[in-house]
Amino acid sequence: MNNFEYKKATGTQEASNAVTGHSDAMFIAGGTNLVDLWKYNLLHPKLVVDINHLPEHRRITELEDGGLRLGALVSNADTAYHPLVESRYPLLSKAILAGASAQIRNMATNGGNLLQRTRCYYFYDADVPCNKRVPGSGCPAMDGYNRIHAILGASGECIAVFPSDMCVALAALEAVVNVSGKNGGRRIPFADFHRLPGDSPEIDNILQHGELITSIDLPEKGFAQNYSYLKLRDRHSYAFALVSVATALELEGDTIRDARIALGGVAHKPWRVREAEAVLVGKKADEAAFTAAAEVLLTGAVGLKYNAFKIELAKRAIVRNGMMALHPETQLPGAQPSA
Ligand SMILES: Cc1cc2nc3c(=O)[nH]c(=O)nc-3n(C[C@H](O)[C@H](O)[C@H](O)COP(=O)(O)OP(=O)(O)OC[C@H]3O[C@@H](n4cnc5c(N)ncnc54)[C@H](O)[C@@H]3O)c2cc1C
Ligand code: SF4
């Protein structure tokens, strides 16, 4: 029996203060990741601060600069099916709908999605060492079954990947995360929000203890004409990505004027390489161009015993998804080919 205290927050500052003032306190939103981790005996919060009763963070609003603000407490489902998201940021809708299941997407919130933990099997087994769970204890995945693990940006301490689909699209769209803490608010560009494991794999992102994610801002440019999200996995649904790709293109005729490509399932954070996107600009949108970009994106990739296949898989996924982005109207909503 784990005893804990429950507090229902009625204001942003109150919620943030409650967690800041208690080293073993955590926020709970949809609970779809937190409660699992708790049941697996991986978390032991002494105070749980329920943020579900903050209506100001449960809405989607248009911004004066032409962008869109997604409240942190809006569910993944309500975000994916919101008319403005569907029409202006269909890449984001598609990525969200590629994740989890309908039931989970109804509970899961946008803020919680950014903070979900890795799905590394060893991380979820409290009986084995894991540097992310217990710093300095070791990483059994290095010489173990590492099929789902990182091929880019890993360290000698941890080779876990970040499992979110939504965040791959948010990286490509260059979203900004709004947070509120004891020192007020700050805006964090999406590329800076998650971090690589380095020698402190226990830290997934740059949030301070007690900082509350209040919303996520999407810039005006939504790439609604040419986009695609491709998720390759072992099962057709209810499975995390082995490799996923979010591609957003701006075309003039068949020439690429702007391009974004973000990869999921390959690193400790959504993976973007600006040089790879620059390779595409001014080129004809064809397989040759996407193949050249894929080579740059996968520069430095390292395969381990069971995951080396992901390097070629990622390259082919980039090319295939680039070609799919030229004809987004031919993609069925939510349809995803299996790996
Ligand atoms: C079976 C299963 C399959 C899944 N498949 C996929 C998938 O294919 N793709 C995918 O992307 N995801 C998948 N998910 C993950 C799911 O999307 C996340 O669990 C969910 O988004 C987390 O949101 P939540 O609101 O439930 O967060 P919670 O579980 O409530 O919280 C998660 C973490 O975030 C913190 N937190 C929550 N909200 C805030 C906030 N506003 N500010 C600060 N901290 C906060 C909590 O303290 C906790 O640490 C799956 C989950 C399950 C259980
Ligand atoms: S890869 Fe990271 S999360 Fe997985 S066992 Fe190693 S240290 Fe833990």
Side-chain angles (χ1 to χ4, degrees), residues 26-34 36 51 72 76 99-100 104 108-109 111-113 115-116 119 163-165 211-213 231 238-240:
M26 294 187 80
F27 299 116
I28 187 164
T32 60
N33 194 216
L34 186 139
D36 273 2
I51 54 174
N76 286 178
I104 292 168
T109 64
N113 195 301
L115 300 176
Q116 62 179 293
R119 293 281 158 172
S164 167
D165 291 292
E211 270 187 319
L212 182 77
I213 300 176
K231 179 177 181 180
Y238 214 49
F240 291 89

PDB file of all heavy atoms in Angstrom, residues 26-34 36 51 72 76 99-100 104 108-109 111-113 115-116 119 163-165 211-213 231 238-240, ligand 1:
ATOM      1  N   MET A  26       3.794  15.308  -7.617  1.00  0.00           N
ATOM      2  CA  MET A  26       3.669  15.253  -9.081  1.00  0.00           C
ATOM      3  C   MET A  26       2.294  15.763  -9.493  1.00  0.00           C
ATOM      4  O   MET A  26       1.318  15.599  -8.755  1.00  0.00           O
ATOM      5  CB  MET A  26       3.813  13.813  -9.582  1.00  0.00           C
ATOM      6  CG  MET A  26       5.189  13.227  -9.370  1.00  0.00           C
ATOM      7  SD  MET A  26       5.350  11.622 -10.164  1.00  0.00           S
ATOM      8  CE  MET A  26       5.641  12.117 -11.862  1.00  0.00           C
ATOM      9  N   PHE A  27       2.228  16.332 -10.688  1.00  0.00           N
ATOM     10  CA  PHE A  27       0.933  16.677 -11.280  1.00  0.00           C
ATOM     11  C   PHE A  27       0.318  15.403 -11.844  1.00  0.00           C
ATOM     12  O   PHE A  27       1.036  14.526 -12.324  1.00  0.00           O
ATOM     13  CB  PHE A  27       1.110  17.647 -12.456  1.00  0.00           C
ATOM     14  CG  PHE A  27       1.734  18.962 -12.100  1.00  0.00           C
ATOM     15  CD1 PHE A  27       2.970  19.325 -12.630  1.00  0.00           C
ATOM     16  CD2 PHE A  27       1.077  19.859 -11.267  1.00  0.00           C
ATOM     17  CE1 PHE A  27       3.544  20.548 -12.326  1.00  0.00           C
ATOM     18  CE2 PHE A  27       1.646  21.088 -10.961  1.00  0.00           C
ATOM     19  CZ  PHE A  27       2.889  21.432 -11.491  1.00  0.00           C
ATOM     20  N   ILE A  28      -1.005  15.336 -11.848  1.00  0.00           N
ATOM     21  CA  ILE A  28      -1.669  14.291 -12.639  1.00  0.00           C
ATOM     22  C   ILE A  28      -2.665  14.959 -13.573  1.00  0.00           C
ATOM     23  O   ILE A  28      -3.421  15.841 -13.167  1.00  0.00           O
ATOM     24  CB  ILE A  28      -2.347  13.216 -11.753  1.00  0.00           C
ATOM     25  CG1 ILE A  28      -2.870  12.085 -12.644  1.00  0.00           C
ATOM     26  CG2 ILE A  28      -3.479  13.792 -10.886  1.00  0.00           C
ATOM     27  CD1 ILE A  28      -3.217  10.807 -11.889  1.00  0.00           C
ATOM     28  N   ALA A  29      -2.621  14.535 -14.856  1.00  0.00           N
ATOM     29  CA  ALA A  29      -3.587  15.044 -15.846  1.00  0.00           C
ATOM     30  C   ALA A  29      -4.475  13.857 -16.228  1.00  0.00           C
ATOM     31  O   ALA A  29      -5.293  13.421 -15.435  1.00  0.00           O
ATOM     32  CB  ALA A  29      -2.849  15.656 -17.019  1.00  0.00           C
ATOM     33  N   GLY A  30      -4.291  13.274 -17.417  1.00  0.00           N
ATOM     34  CA  GLY A  30      -5.091  12.107 -17.799  1.00  0.00           C
ATOM     35  C   GLY A  30      -4.716  10.858 -17.019  1.00  0.00           C
ATOM     36  O   GLY A  30      -5.509   9.914 -16.929  1.00  0.00           O
ATOM     37  N   GLY A  31      -3.514  10.816 -16.506  1.00  0.00           N
ATOM     38  CA  GLY A  31      -3.047   9.681 -15.706  1.00  0.00           C
ATOM     39  C   GLY A  31      -2.662   8.455 -16.507  1.00  0.00           C
ATOM     40  O   GLY A  31      -2.307   7.425 -15.936  1.00  0.00           O
ATOM     41  N   THR A  32      -2.695   8.531 -17.833  1.00  0.00           N
ATOM     42  CA  THR A  32      -2.473   7.323 -18.646  1.00  0.00           C
ATOM     43  C   THR A  32      -1.028   6.829 -18.592  1.00  0.00           C
ATOM     44  O   THR A  32      -0.776   5.659 -18.837  1.00  0.00           O
ATOM     45  CB  THR A  32      -2.856   7.545 -20.127  1.00  0.00           C
ATOM     46  OG1 THR A  32      -2.055   8.604 -20.656  1.00  0.00           O
ATOM     47  CG2 THR A  32      -4.327   7.893 -20.281  1.00  0.00           C
ATOM     48  N   ASN A  33      -0.093   7.679 -18.286  1.00  0.00           N
ATOM     49  CA  ASN A  33       1.285   7.228 -18.107  1.00  0.00           C
ATOM     50  C   ASN A  33       1.645   7.184 -16.626  1.00  0.00           C
ATOM     51  O   ASN A  33       2.230   6.216 -16.133  1.00  0.00           O
ATOM     52  CB  ASN A  33       2.243   8.136 -18.885  1.00  0.00           C
ATOM     53  CG  ASN A  33       3.640   7.539 -19.016  1.00  0.00           C
ATOM     54  OD1 ASN A  33       4.621   8.253 -18.978  1.00  0.00           O
ATOM     55  ND2 ASN A  33       3.748   6.232 -19.183  1.00  0.00           N
ATOM     56  N   LEU A  34       1.242   8.205 -15.897  1.00  0.00           N
ATOM     57  CA  LEU A  34       1.622   8.291 -14.491  1.00  0.00           C
ATOM     58  C   LEU A  34       1.100   7.094 -13.690  1.00  0.00           C
ATOM     59  O   LEU A  34       1.838   6.475 -12.919  1.00  0.00           O
ATOM     60  CB  LEU A  34       1.097   9.599 -13.903  1.00  0.00           C
ATOM     61  CG  LEU A  34       1.560   9.880 -12.472  1.00  0.00           C
ATOM     62  CD1 LEU A  34       1.908  11.341 -12.306  1.00  0.00           C
ATOM     63  CD2 LEU A  34       0.511   9.497 -11.458  1.00  0.00           C
ATOM     64  N   ASP A  36       0.249   4.112 -14.747  1.00  0.00           N
ATOM     65  CA  ASP A  36       0.985   2.895 -15.141  1.00  0.00           C
ATOM     66  C   ASP A  36       2.321   2.814 -14.404  1.00  0.00           C
ATOM     67  O   ASP A  36       2.677   1.786 -13.841  1.00  0.00           O
ATOM     68  CB  ASP A  36       1.288   2.923 -16.649  1.00  0.00           C
ATOM     69  CG  ASP A  36       0.150   2.333 -17.471  1.00  0.00           C
ATOM     70  OD1 ASP A  36      -0.868   1.938 -16.884  1.00  0.00           O
ATOM     71  OD2 ASP A  36       0.288   2.285 -18.712  1.00  0.00           O
ATOM     72  N   ILE A  51      -4.589  18.440 -11.862  1.00  0.00           N
ATOM     73  CA  ILE A  51      -4.691  19.714 -12.598  1.00  0.00           C
ATOM     74  C   ILE A  51      -5.878  19.716 -13.566  1.00  0.00           C
ATOM     75  O   ILE A  51      -5.985  20.584 -14.425  1.00  0.00           O
ATOM     76  CB  ILE A  51      -3.382  20.033 -13.357  1.00  0.00           C
ATOM     77  CG1 ILE A  51      -2.979  18.858 -14.257  1.00  0.00           C
ATOM     78  CG2 ILE A  51      -2.273  20.374 -12.367  1.00  0.00           C
ATOM     79  CD1 ILE A  51      -1.769  19.148 -15.142  1.00  0.00           C
ATOM     80  N   ALA A  72      -2.927  22.837 -22.466  1.00  0.00           N
ATOM     81  CA  ALA A  72      -2.230  21.631 -22.021  1.00  0.00           C
ATOM     82  C   ALA A  72      -3.190  20.546 -21.578  1.00  0.00           C
ATOM     83  O   ALA A  72      -2.847  19.369 -21.607  1.00  0.00           O
ATOM     84  CB  ALA A  72      -1.286  21.980 -20.868  1.00  0.00           C
ATOM     85  N   ASN A  76      -5.855  14.607 -26.239  1.00  0.00           N
ATOM     86  CA  ASN A  76      -5.248  14.341 -27.550  1.00  0.00           C
ATOM     87  C   ASN A  76      -6.341  14.177 -28.609  1.00  0.00           C
ATOM     88  O   ASN A  76      -6.202  14.652 -29.736  1.00  0.00           O
ATOM     89  CB  ASN A  76      -4.389  13.073 -27.487  1.00  0.00           C
ATOM     90  CG  ASN A  76      -3.073  13.261 -26.743  1.00  0.00           C
ATOM     91  OD1 ASN A  76      -2.313  12.324 -26.585  1.00  0.00           O
ATOM     92  ND2 ASN A  76      -2.781  14.470 -26.269  1.00  0.00           N
ATOM     93  N   GLY A  99      -1.265   7.440 -32.699  1.00  0.00           N
ATOM     94  CA  GLY A  99      -0.778   7.006 -31.390  1.00  0.00           C
ATOM     95  C   GLY A  99      -1.852   6.338 -30.550  1.00  0.00           C
ATOM     96  O   GLY A  99      -3.042   6.634 -30.668  1.00  0.00           O
ATOM     97  N   ALA A 100      -1.424   5.417 -29.712  1.00  0.00           N
ATOM     98  CA  ALA A 100      -2.255   4.818 -28.654  1.00  0.00           C
ATOM     99  C   ALA A 100      -3.552   4.227 -29.214  1.00  0.00           C
ATOM    100  O   ALA A 100      -3.562   3.598 -30.272  1.00  0.00           O
ATOM    101  CB  ALA A 100      -2.523   5.850 -27.558  1.00  0.00           C
ATOM    102  N   ILE A 104      -7.465   5.792 -25.010  1.00  0.00           N
ATOM    103  CA  ILE A 104      -6.335   6.483 -24.368  1.00  0.00           C
ATOM    104  C   ILE A 104      -6.265   7.929 -24.856  1.00  0.00           C
ATOM    105  O   ILE A 104      -6.038   8.847 -24.071  1.00  0.00           O
ATOM    106  CB  ILE A 104      -5.015   5.727 -24.625  1.00  0.00           C
ATOM    107  CG1 ILE A 104      -5.053   4.398 -23.873  1.00  0.00           C
ATOM    108  CG2 ILE A 104      -3.811   6.554 -24.174  1.00  0.00           C
ATOM    109  CD1 ILE A 104      -3.957   3.439 -24.247  1.00  0.00           C
ATOM    110  N   ALA A 108      -5.754  11.050 -22.485  1.00  0.00           N
ATOM    111  CA  ALA A 108      -4.409  11.648 -22.538  1.00  0.00           C
ATOM    112  C   ALA A 108      -4.497  13.132 -22.879  1.00  0.00           C
ATOM    113  O   ALA A 108      -5.261  13.529 -23.758  1.00  0.00           O
ATOM    114  CB  ALA A 108      -3.571  10.926 -23.585  1.00  0.00           C
ATOM    115  N   THR A 109      -3.715  13.928 -22.214  1.00  0.00           N
ATOM    116  CA  THR A 109      -3.722  15.369 -22.471  1.00  0.00           C
ATOM    117  C   THR A 109      -2.483  15.779 -23.268  1.00  0.00           C
ATOM    118  O   THR A 109      -1.484  15.050 -23.332  1.00  0.00           O
ATOM    119  CB  THR A 109      -3.726  16.154 -21.146  1.00  0.00           C
ATOM    120  OG1 THR A 109      -2.504  15.875 -20.457  1.00  0.00           O
ATOM    121  CG2 THR A 109      -4.920  15.794 -20.286  1.00  0.00           C
ATOM    122  N   GLY A 111      -0.357  18.234 -22.525  1.00  0.00           N
ATOM    123  CA  GLY A 111       0.809  18.422 -21.649  1.00  0.00           C
ATOM    124  C   GLY A 111       1.433  17.097 -21.275  1.00  0.00           C
ATOM    125  O   GLY A 111       2.654  16.921 -21.320  1.00  0.00           O
ATOM    126  N   GLY A 112       0.563  16.122 -20.913  1.00  0.00           N
ATOM    127  CA  GLY A 112       1.074  14.806 -20.518  1.00  0.00           C
ATOM    128  C   GLY A 112       1.793  14.099 -21.641  1.00  0.00           C
ATOM    129  O   GLY A 112       2.774  13.379 -21.415  1.00  0.00           O
ATOM    130  N   ASN A 113       1.337  14.320 -22.871  1.00  0.00           N
ATOM    131  CA  ASN A 113       1.986  13.655 -24.014  1.00  0.00           C
ATOM    132  C   ASN A 113       3.457  14.041 -24.103  1.00  0.00           C
ATOM    133  O   ASN A 113       4.322  13.220 -24.406  1.00  0.00           O
ATOM    134  CB  ASN A 113       1.240  13.999 -25.309  1.00  0.00           C
ATOM    135  CG  ASN A 113       1.635  13.072 -26.443  1.00  0.00           C
ATOM    136  OD1 ASN A 113       2.806  13.008 -26.797  1.00  0.00           O
ATOM    137  ND2 ASN A 113       0.685  12.346 -27.002  1.00  0.00           N
ATOM    138  N   LEU A 115       5.365  14.712 -21.750  1.00  0.00           N
ATOM    139  CA  LEU A 115       6.137  14.258 -20.589  1.00  0.00           C
ATOM    140  C   LEU A 115       6.069  12.759 -20.368  1.00  0.00           C
ATOM    141  O   LEU A 115       6.530  12.266 -19.343  1.00  0.00           O
ATOM    142  CB  LEU A 115       5.649  15.000 -19.335  1.00  0.00           C
ATOM    143  CG  LEU A 115       5.818  16.516 -19.432  1.00  0.00           C
ATOM    144  CD1 LEU A 115       5.218  17.191 -18.210  1.00  0.00           C
ATOM    145  CD2 LEU A 115       7.281  16.892 -19.566  1.00  0.00           C
ATOM    146  N   GLN A 116       5.492  12.035 -21.328  1.00  0.00           N
ATOM    147  CA  GLN A 116       5.463  10.583 -21.170  1.00  0.00           C
ATOM    148  C   GLN A 116       6.885  10.045 -21.154  1.00  0.00           C
ATOM    149  O   GLN A 116       7.790  10.599 -21.779  1.00  0.00           O
ATOM    150  CB  GLN A 116       4.641   9.943 -22.280  1.00  0.00           C
ATOM    151  CG  GLN A 116       5.184  10.159 -23.679  1.00  0.00           C
ATOM    152  CD  GLN A 116       4.325   9.457 -24.737  1.00  0.00           C
ATOM    153  OE1 GLN A 116       4.275   8.248 -24.785  1.00  0.00           O
ATOM    154  NE2 GLN A 116       3.653  10.246 -25.562  1.00  0.00           N
ATOM    155  N   ARG A 119       9.551   3.921 -23.402  1.00  0.00           N
ATOM    156  CA  ARG A 119       8.957   2.583 -23.320  1.00  0.00           C
ATOM    157  C   ARG A 119      10.032   1.505 -23.289  1.00  0.00           C
ATOM    158  O   ARG A 119       9.738   0.330 -23.548  1.00  0.00           O
ATOM    159  CB  ARG A 119       8.030   2.363 -24.514  1.00  0.00           C
ATOM    160  CG  ARG A 119       6.811   3.265 -24.451  1.00  0.00           C
ATOM    161  CD  ARG A 119       5.767   2.741 -23.484  1.00  0.00           C
ATOM    162  NE  ARG A 119       4.881   3.812 -23.036  1.00  0.00           N
ATOM    163  CZ  ARG A 119       3.788   3.599 -22.317  1.00  0.00           C
ATOM    164  NH1 ARG A 119       3.458   2.375 -21.943  1.00  0.00           N
ATOM    165  NH2 ARG A 119       3.045   4.605 -21.924  1.00  0.00           N
ATOM    166  N   PRO A 163       8.944   8.132 -26.944  1.00  0.00           N
ATOM    167  CA  PRO A 163       7.957   7.369 -27.731  1.00  0.00           C
ATOM    168  C   PRO A 163       6.814   8.162 -28.362  1.00  0.00           C
ATOM    169  O   PRO A 163       5.990   7.585 -29.049  1.00  0.00           O
ATOM    170  CB  PRO A 163       7.387   6.403 -26.685  1.00  0.00           C
ATOM    171  CG  PRO A 163       7.470   7.149 -25.390  1.00  0.00           C
ATOM    172  CD  PRO A 163       8.658   8.054 -25.490  1.00  0.00           C
ATOM    173  N   SER A 164       6.729   9.465 -28.148  1.00  0.00           N
ATOM    174  CA  SER A 164       5.539  10.200 -28.593  1.00  0.00           C
ATOM    175  C   SER A 164       5.433  10.317 -30.113  1.00  0.00           C
ATOM    176  O   SER A 164       6.427  10.501 -30.812  1.00  0.00           O
ATOM    177  CB  SER A 164       5.569  11.608 -27.995  1.00  0.00           C
ATOM    178  OG  SER A 164       4.605  12.439 -28.620  1.00  0.00           O
ATOM    179  N   ASP A 165       4.203  10.255 -30.602  1.00  0.00           N
ATOM    180  CA  ASP A 165       3.920  10.582 -32.009  1.00  0.00           C
ATOM    181  C   ASP A 165       3.615  12.069 -32.147  1.00  0.00           C
ATOM    182  O   ASP A 165       4.138  12.745 -33.035  1.00  0.00           O
ATOM    183  CB  ASP A 165       2.715   9.771 -32.506  1.00  0.00           C
ATOM    184  CG  ASP A 165       3.043   8.303 -32.624  1.00  0.00           C
ATOM    185  OD1 ASP A 165       3.849   7.956 -33.496  1.00  0.00           O
ATOM    186  OD2 ASP A 165       2.513   7.502 -31.828  1.00  0.00           O
ATOM    187  N   GLU A 211       7.182  23.208 -12.446  1.00  0.00           N
ATOM    188  CA  GLU A 211       6.732  24.002 -13.603  1.00  0.00           C
ATOM    189  C   GLU A 211       5.583  23.263 -14.283  1.00  0.00           C
ATOM    190  O   GLU A 211       5.673  22.056 -14.553  1.00  0.00           O
ATOM    191  CB  GLU A 211       7.870  24.212 -14.599  1.00  0.00           C
ATOM    192  CG  GLU A 211       8.679  25.462 -14.313  1.00  0.00           C
ATOM    193  CD  GLU A 211       9.698  25.758 -15.394  1.00  0.00           C
ATOM    194  OE1 GLU A 211      10.347  24.819 -15.898  1.00  0.00           O
ATOM    195  OE2 GLU A 211       9.882  26.941 -15.711  1.00  0.00           O
ATOM    196  N   LEU A 212       4.528  24.003 -14.555  1.00  0.00           N
ATOM    197  CA  LEU A 212       3.337  23.437 -15.178  1.00  0.00           C
ATOM    198  C   LEU A 212       3.310  23.829 -16.664  1.00  0.00           C
ATOM    199  O   LEU A 212       3.475  25.010 -16.993  1.00  0.00           O
ATOM    200  CB  LEU A 212       2.096  24.005 -14.482  1.00  0.00           C
ATOM    201  CG  LEU A 212       0.745  23.488 -14.959  1.00  0.00           C
ATOM    202  CD1 LEU A 212       0.484  22.092 -14.409  1.00  0.00           C
ATOM    203  CD2 LEU A 212      -0.375  24.430 -14.513  1.00  0.00           C
ATOM    204  N   ILE A 213       3.107  22.867 -17.525  1.00  0.00           N
ATOM    205  CA  ILE A 213       2.871  23.201 -18.939  1.00  0.00           C
ATOM    206  C   ILE A 213       1.443  23.739 -19.020  1.00  0.00           C
ATOM    207  O   ILE A 213       0.498  23.072 -18.573  1.00  0.00           O
ATOM    208  CB  ILE A 213       3.014  21.972 -19.858  1.00  0.00           C
ATOM    209  CG1 ILE A 213       4.414  21.370 -19.759  1.00  0.00           C
ATOM    210  CG2 ILE A 213       2.690  22.337 -21.302  1.00  0.00           C
ATOM    211  CD1 ILE A 213       4.596  20.097 -20.570  1.00  0.00           C
ATOM    212  N   LYS A 231       4.092   6.133 -39.651  1.00  0.00           N
ATOM    213  CA  LYS A 231       4.524   5.435 -38.425  1.00  0.00           C
ATOM    214  C   LYS A 231       4.712   3.958 -38.749  1.00  0.00           C
ATOM    215  O   LYS A 231       3.758   3.295 -39.155  1.00  0.00           O
ATOM    216  CB  LYS A 231       3.464   5.621 -37.339  1.00  0.00           C
ATOM    217  CG  LYS A 231       3.799   4.912 -36.031  1.00  0.00           C
ATOM    218  CD  LYS A 231       2.743   5.211 -34.970  1.00  0.00           C
ATOM    219  CE  LYS A 231       3.080   4.542 -33.648  1.00  0.00           C
ATOM    220  NZ  LYS A 231       2.078   4.822 -32.611  1.00  0.00           N
ATOM    221  N   TYR A 238      -1.994   0.320 -31.663  1.00  0.00           N
ATOM    222  CA  TYR A 238      -1.705   0.095 -30.259  1.00  0.00           C
ATOM    223  C   TYR A 238      -0.247  -0.325 -30.067  1.00  0.00           C
ATOM    224  O   TYR A 238       0.056  -1.201 -29.259  1.00  0.00           O
ATOM    225  CB  TYR A 238      -2.650  -1.004 -29.739  1.00  0.00           C
ATOM    226  CG  TYR A 238      -3.076  -0.823 -28.309  1.00  0.00           C
ATOM    227  CD1 TYR A 238      -3.557   0.382 -27.853  1.00  0.00           C
ATOM    228  CD2 TYR A 238      -2.998  -1.883 -27.402  1.00  0.00           C
ATOM    229  CE1 TYR A 238      -3.955   0.536 -26.539  1.00  0.00           C
ATOM    230  CE2 TYR A 238      -3.391  -1.737 -26.093  1.00  0.00           C
ATOM    231  CZ  TYR A 238      -3.870  -0.530 -25.655  1.00  0.00           C
ATOM    232  OH  TYR A 238      -4.261  -0.385 -24.367  1.00  0.00           O
ATOM    233  N   ALA A 239       0.639   0.279 -30.844  1.00  0.00           N
ATOM    234  CA  ALA A 239       2.064  -0.025 -30.707  1.00  0.00           C
ATOM    235  C   ALA A 239       2.851   1.259 -30.932  1.00  0.00           C
ATOM    236  O   ALA A 239       2.405   2.154 -31.662  1.00  0.00           O
ATOM    237  CB  ALA A 239       2.487  -1.077 -31.715  1.00  0.00           C
ATOM    238  N   PHE A 240       3.993   1.337 -30.299  1.00  0.00           N
ATOM    239  CA  PHE A 240       4.840   2.518 -30.455  1.00  0.00           C
ATOM    240  C   PHE A 240       5.680   2.389 -31.724  1.00  0.00           C
ATOM    241  O   PHE A 240       5.886   1.284 -32.236  1.00  0.00           O
ATOM    242  CB  PHE A 240       5.717   2.691 -29.214  1.00  0.00           C
ATOM    243  CG  PHE A 240       4.920   3.084 -28.013  1.00  0.00           C
ATOM    244  CD1 PHE A 240       4.362   2.129 -27.177  1.00  0.00           C
ATOM    245  CD2 PHE A 240       4.665   4.418 -27.745  1.00  0.00           C
ATOM    246  CE1 PHE A 240       3.580   2.488 -26.083  1.00  0.00           C
ATOM    247  CE2 PHE A 240       3.892   4.794 -26.657  1.00  0.00           C
ATOM    248  CZ  PHE A 240       3.351   3.828 -25.826  1.00  0.00           C
TER     249      PHE A 240
HETATM  250  C1  LIG B   1      -1.210   1.421 -23.877  1.00  0.00           C
HETATM  251  C2  LIG B   1      -0.691   2.777 -24.264  1.00  0.00           C
HETATM  252  C3  LIG B   1      -0.312   2.998 -25.579  1.00  0.00           C
HETATM  253  C4  LIG B   1       0.185   4.255 -25.938  1.00  0.00           C
HETATM  254  N1  LIG B   1       0.566   4.445 -27.244  1.00  0.00           N
HETATM  255  C5  LIG B   1       1.066   5.657 -27.601  1.00  0.00           C
HETATM  256  C6  LIG B   1       1.496   5.897 -28.930  1.00  0.00           C
HETATM  257  O1  LIG B   1       1.435   5.019 -29.795  1.00  0.00           O
HETATM  258  N2  LIG B   1       1.972   7.139 -29.226  1.00  0.00           N
HETATM  259  C7  LIG B   1       2.043   8.129 -28.289  1.00  0.00           C
HETATM  260  O2  LIG B   1       2.467   9.230 -28.618  1.00  0.00           O
HETATM  261  N3  LIG B   1       1.669   7.923 -27.032  1.00  0.00           N
HETATM  262  C8  LIG B   1       1.182   6.718 -26.670  1.00  0.00           C
HETATM  263  N4  LIG B   1       0.799   6.500 -25.387  1.00  0.00           N
HETATM  264  C9  LIG B   1       1.141   7.510 -24.373  1.00  0.00           C
HETATM  265  C10 LIG B   1       0.064   8.496 -24.121  1.00  0.00           C
HETATM  266  O3  LIG B   1      -0.046   9.355 -25.223  1.00  0.00           O
HETATM  267  C11 LIG B   1       0.513   9.264 -22.870  1.00  0.00           C
HETATM  268  O4  LIG B   1       0.419   8.362 -21.781  1.00  0.00           O
HETATM  269  C12 LIG B   1      -0.327  10.479 -22.611  1.00  0.00           C
HETATM  270  O5  LIG B   1      -0.189  11.413 -23.655  1.00  0.00           O
HETATM  271  C13 LIG B   1       0.057  11.140 -21.303  1.00  0.00           C
HETATM  272  O6  LIG B   1      -0.870  12.155 -21.018  1.00  0.00           O
HETATM  273  P1  LIG B   1      -1.676  12.169 -19.638  1.00  0.00           P
HETATM  274  O7  LIG B   1      -2.500  13.390 -19.623  1.00  0.00           O
HETATM  275  O8  LIG B   1      -2.391  10.891 -19.381  1.00  0.00           O
HETATM  276  O9  LIG B   1      -0.446  12.325 -18.643  1.00  0.00           O
HETATM  277  P2  LIG B   1      -0.291  11.803 -17.133  1.00  0.00           P
HETATM  278  O10 LIG B   1      -0.131  10.328 -17.128  1.00  0.00           O
HETATM  279  O11 LIG B   1      -1.330  12.396 -16.253  1.00  0.00           O
HETATM  280  O12 LIG B   1       1.091  12.500 -16.781  1.00  0.00           O
HETATM  281  C14 LIG B   1       2.284  12.131 -17.431  1.00  0.00           C
HETATM  282  C15 LIG B   1       3.406  12.974 -16.847  1.00  0.00           C
HETATM  283  O13 LIG B   1       3.242  14.330 -17.193  1.00  0.00           O
HETATM  284  C16 LIG B   1       3.123  15.153 -16.040  1.00  0.00           C
HETATM  285  N5  LIG B   1       2.155  16.181 -16.442  1.00  0.00           N
HETATM  286  C17 LIG B   1       0.949  15.975 -17.022  1.00  0.00           C
HETATM  287  N6  LIG B   1       0.420  17.144 -17.416  1.00  0.00           N
HETATM  288  C18 LIG B   1       1.308  18.112 -17.061  1.00  0.00           C
HETATM  289  C19 LIG B   1       1.332  19.527 -17.214  1.00  0.00           C
HETATM  290  N7  LIG B   1       0.349  20.199 -17.814  1.00  0.00           N
HETATM  291  N8  LIG B   1       2.411  20.205 -16.752  1.00  0.00           N
HETATM  292  C20 LIG B   1       3.434  19.552 -16.155  1.00  0.00           C
HETATM  293  N9  LIG B   1       3.456  18.210 -15.974  1.00  0.00           N
HETATM  294  C21 LIG B   1       2.401  17.498 -16.437  1.00  0.00           C
HETATM  295  C22 LIG B   1       2.707  14.239 -14.914  1.00  0.00           C
HETATM  296  O14 LIG B   1       3.163  14.701 -13.675  1.00  0.00           O
HETATM  297  C23 LIG B   1       3.441  12.966 -15.322  1.00  0.00           C
HETATM  298  O15 LIG B   1       4.794  13.038 -14.953  1.00  0.00           O
HETATM  299  C24 LIG B   1       0.282   5.277 -24.988  1.00  0.00           C
HETATM  300  C25 LIG B   1      -0.122   5.061 -23.664  1.00  0.00           C
HETATM  301  C26 LIG B   1      -0.613   3.817 -23.302  1.00  0.00           C
HETATM  302  C27 LIG B   1      -1.028   3.603 -21.881  1.00  0.00           C
END
